[in-house]
Amino acid sequence: MSSKNDPLARTKKMVALALACSISIDQAIKVALMNVGGTVVDAKLKGKPDKVHWRIKLLTAEGPVKVYIDARSGEFLEAWSEGTFPLADERVGHKELLVGHTETLESAPR
């Protein structure tokens, strides 16, 4: 039986990811909103314990965007546009998103 269908295996994986995570979901959401903006519609802890990240789904004026935040450092990794909007399936450049945003993770509430 694959872990996808095994509730115990899924739970064990989520516990391992949570233990490997250094930043909270609130901190990850704050970083995503600082870098992209929009409204949060979903947030999940993803990856493997040695490489864990938050995937934050946002709804922006340009359409839905998936934002990836390193769950250990809080670093903005990347953002991808998705859906049927003009930027669909295009990677959103990090530098383009940072214009006007100077706040750092250290100032995020813990």
Side-chain angles (χ1 to χ4, degrees), residues 14-105:
M14 287 308 299
V15 168
L17 291 177
L19 291 172
C21 185
S22 300
I23 68 164
S24 71
I25 191 170
D26 293 330
Q27 291 171 306
I29 288 171
K30 184 169 182 171
V31 172
L33 291 173
M34 284 174 17
N35 285 280
V36 179
T39 301
V40 177
V41 294
D42 187 41
K44 282 187 179 174
L45 196 54
K46 305 288 274 181
K48 297 179 181 181
D50 61 329
K51 189 168 181 158
V52 62
H53 61 273
W54 289 100
R55 184 194 70 203
I56 313 293
K57 289 185 179 180
L58 301 172
L59 185 58
T60 70
E62 292 79 28
V65 176
K66 286 183 183 177
V67 179
Y68 296 88
I69 307 296
D70 186 296
R72 292 179 189 257
S73 68
E75 176 186 356
F76 174 93
L77 298 174
E78 63 183 358
W80 288 85
S81 174
E82 60 178 5
T84 58
F85 292 88
L87 295 176
D89 300 322
E90 290 183 13
R91 185 171 185 203
V92 179
H94 179 76
K95 294 192 186 313
E96 297 169 275
L97 298 172
L98 291 177
V99 175
H101 296 286
T102 57
E103 196 168 352
T104 62
L105 180 62

